[in-house]
Amino acid sequence: MYIFANFKAYLDFAETNILVSQLLQSTVADNDDDTVVLFPSLLAFSEVEKACRGTALSVGVQHVGDGASPARTGDISPAQAMDAGATYALIGHSERRHMFGESDAMIAAQCTAAAQAGVIPVLCIGETADELAQGKTKARLSEQLGAVTALPSDAQYIIAYEPVWAIQGSGSGKVCEPEVVADVHAYIRDILATYTDMYVPILFGGSVKAENVVSYTSLPNVDGVLVGSASTKLETFEALVTAIHT
Ligand code: PGA
């Protein structure tokens, strides 16, 4: 299973380093079964990357620009992410789309630039509560998935389905029922099959925690989870990782 830990802006520098050193000594890192990737804040990224080097944990960035110009205050380019040791980049997270106004076109450019720089794009897609209410979930997901059509044909990438309304803090935190996840992931799998022959992992995210993780990871077409708040404490993250295998 892919287990991706999105720390967002939950932790400061010291808290991040403490959590990472705890994780490195825990069953989360002593784990041959899963691909565990930490996405710390950029301010702590290099410390975390150094600490995780040579361990079972990998690192990624929570955002990357399209690298079109270096005159972009506050942004980072895919080449910088690569140079800093990022293996993965979250792209198009709903908080980036809805709070920072990132459009489908910007996100497609970020995915292509990341893949070209050698950073694996993790394209996040998901419908809003309004789109859900209007029955537009699949139409919206299919639009968002269009971002991968511009990728180089041999590019590796990952999809994370996160209903916007199911995310804690920025959404309602309401649980997305496993039957819905199964149906949506099968739909995503069908669309991907029209784009590529490669196997593309599909992750689910949105209020995933130890108590509900197996209801998702036991579904067909769910290759892992993208975890926000439950990844920001040793106890909750370790419990989640352990739950997947018990
Ligand atoms: P959550 O966040 O687990 O806190 O709901 C998931 C995400 O936004 O990636």
Side-chain angles (χ1 to χ4, degrees):
M1 282 285 149
Y2 290 87
I3 307 173
F4 283 11
N6 178 7
F7 294 169
K8 306 190 182 184
Y10 277 106
L11 305 170
D12 68 21
F13 185 75
E15 288 164 343
T16 306
N17 291 327
I18 292 168
L19 175 62
V20 172
S21 70
Q22 289 171 330
L23 291 173
L24 284 167
Q25 288 161 37
S26 75
T27 52
V28 172
D30 183 18
N31 176 356
D32 297 330
D33 297 327
D34 303 304
T35 301
V36 182
V37 185
L38 309 181
F39 295 84
S41 93
L42 273 185
L43 296 175
F45 183 86
S46 290
E47 283 294 308
V48 175
E49 190 278 326
K50 237 184 286 163
C52 293
R53 231 178 264 167
T55 74
L57 305 185
S58 310
V59 286
V61 287
Q62 297 177 14
H63 158 75
V64 74
D66 65 12
S69 162
R72 295 266 171 91
T73 302
D75 204 5
I76 61 159
S77 70
Q80 288 176 312
M82 181 69 186
D83 179 53
T87 306
Y88 300 88
L90 297 182
I91 295 181
H93 189 281
S94 78
E95 287 150 15
R96 302 290 318 173
R97 291 177 189 267
H98 299 289
M99 296 172 176
F100 297 90
E102 292 187 6
S103 64
D104 288 348
M106 289 163 76
I107 288 158
Q110 292 162 3
C111 280
T112 303
Q116 283 168 345
V119 177
I120 301 171
V122 182
L123 173 67
C124 304
I125 59 174
E127 80 285 2
T128 62
D130 280 353
E131 287 159 351
L132 174 70
Q134 293 165 28
K136 292 186 179 154
T137 298
K138 289 182 178 170
R140 184 65 191 117
L141 296 178
S142 130
E143 274 168 11
Q144 292 173 327
L145 276 173
V148 302
T149 56
L151 288 175
S153 60
D154 59 348
Q156 232 189 305
Y157 62 94
I158 292 178
I159 302 297
Y161 169 55
E162 297 198 301
V164 175
W165 49 271
I167 296 175
Q168 269 187 47
S170 60
S172 69
K174 268 193 221 146
V175 161
C176 184
E177 294 304 327
E179 305 78 69
V180 174
V181 176
D183 180 50
V184 168
H185 278 229
Y187 175 74
I188 295 170
R189 175 71 61 221
D190 284 348
I191 293 189
L192 292 172
T194 68
Y195 294 158
T196 177
D197 293 335
M198 284 190 315
Y199 189 79
V200 179
I202 309 173
L203 280 46
F204 175 72
S207 300
V208 176
K209 37 183 157 314
E211 295 74 22
N212 63 17
V213 67
V214 177
S215 71
Y216 301 120
T217 54
S218 57
L219 298 170
N221 296 311
V222 174
D223 301 291
V225 283
L226 176 53
V227 186
S229 58
S231 72
T232 60
K233 290 196 184 76
L234 173 67
E235 308 75 58
T236 50
F237 194 40
E238 199 176 24
L240 183 152
V241 174
T242 309
I244 293 178
H245 298 291
T246 46

